[in-house]
Amino acid sequence: MLKKLACFALIPLFGAAASAADYGEFYNVSAGAIKPFARDLGGLLGSGSNQTARPLGFAGFDLGVRGMAQFRPSHGNTVLKKNNLFGLGLVQAEIGMPYRIDGFVRGGNFEGITVAGGGLRYGLWNVSDEKYKVNATLVGMANMATHRYFYAIHFNTSLVCSVNVPVLAPYFGVGYDFTKFEAQTTADPALAGKKVYEQEPRFTFGLRAKMKLGYLAGGLTYTHDRALVNASAGFRF
């Protein structure tokens, strides 16, 4: 069932992103392209982790796939093809704990980038499943992304809200991404070991459809003057 949901929700996004992204081109990076590349990678790592603000509840569980893609690289990011889509794909598992706290872990390997991370969510008030009621959650997350030519450590904090609307429930959030990036192997030996730090606000809006134990969701994120799309599918109970 999870594979079927993933196919419907994410394969078109993953396929489009993979066809345009060639992260191995970072080997030929110029000094001026490192910061915008790090900014784009941080935006991808920070988006797509949440599609509802409702806590799972004690012993609740969520297992799903997440896809994030940016429509085109930032100004100065000459590593990736101009005006082309690129992105990441992950698997994310979540578990509900007492006191409206959820914990989650995430990871995957996509186009040569391996990502591992996780975080915590805290519901700001008692959960309400009444129609048109609002739930709100604070989120803290950390990720590490590695590639043969670079690695990044990413942190973010977010406030996410969702509304209990039948059929398609909207969610929206605001957050901040912090990314520490280091070039490792490049054609220019002078750039090996170069570190940069980026931080950017992030704004997201999306819709989530619930289907018995499964769900599909899609959203749009705006950060560092660029638009990203997010898609997710999975089981939640």
Side-chain angles (χ1 to χ4, degrees):
M1 180 65 175
L2 182 60
K3 289 183 179 179
K4 291 181 180 178
L5 289 172
C7 287
F8 283 118
L10 302 179
I11 284 181
L13 177 59
F14 285 1
S19 67
D22 186 359
Y23 299 113
E25 286 298 315
F26 187 84
Y27 181 77
N28 298 308
V29 69
S30 63
I34 295 178
K35 284 181 72 69
F37 181 85
R39 191 180 309 131
D40 287 343
L41 181 60
L44 291 174
L45 292 170
S47 66
S49 63
N50 301 281
Q51 24 66 32
T52 180
R54 187 199 187 285
L56 284 163
F58 181 62
F61 190 74
D62 185 317
L63 176 63
V65 286
R66 307 282 188 265
M68 304 77 72
Q70 186 169 312
F71 287 110
R72 57 193 176 96
S74 293
H75 293 297
N77 180 359
T78 55
V79 174
L80 301 174
K81 295 178 182 178
K82 186 177 180 180
N83 297 325
N84 276 337
L85 193 76
F86 61 95
L88 293 174
L90 303 169
V91 175
Q92 184 164 310
E94 310 177 9
I95 189 167
M97 297 182 285
Y99 306 109
R100 303 189 303 277
I101 297 174
D102 293 346
F104 62 94
V105 293
R106 60 207 313 251
N109 185 288
F110 192 73
E111 288 297 292
I113 297 181
T114 300
V115 177
L120 293 172
R121 300 192 189 94
Y122 174 68
L124 293 183
W125 51 77
N126 289 333
V127 174
S128 174
D129 289 322
E130 184 180 345
K131 287 184 180 180
Y132 308 114
K133 291 295 184 177
V134 176
N135 290 310
T137 301
L138 287 176
V139 184
M141 180 172 68
N143 298 284
M144 183 172 67
T146 63
H147 187 277
R148 63 181 298 187
Y149 299 139
F150 58 82
Y151 81 89
I153 297 175
H154 166 268
F155 302 94
N156 80 25
T157 57
S158 304
L159 171 64
V160 181
C161 298
S162 61
V163 186
N164 296 334
V165 176
V167 185
L168 287 175
Y171 63 93
F172 48 94
V174 57
Y176 215 85
D177 293 311
F178 306 84
T179 306
K180 175 185 175 182
F181 182 93
E182 181 174 339
Q184 291 190 297
T185 304
T186 65
D188 183 352
L191 297 180
K194 181 176 176 59
K195 297 181 178 69
V196 298
Y197 301 86
E198 287 295 317
Q199 51 185 347
E200 292 288 339
R202 172 175 32 83
F203 307 92
T204 298
F205 174 80
L207 295 170
R208 174 176 173 267
K210 185 177 180 181
M211 304 167 296
K212 294 184 179 179
L213 294 179
Y215 62 87
L216 296 171
L220 184 69
T221 295
Y222 182 80
T223 181
H224 55 264
D225 297 324
R226 287 292 183 266
L228 292 79
V229 287
N230 317 303
S232 60
F235 291 123
R236 184 180 176 93
F237 51 90

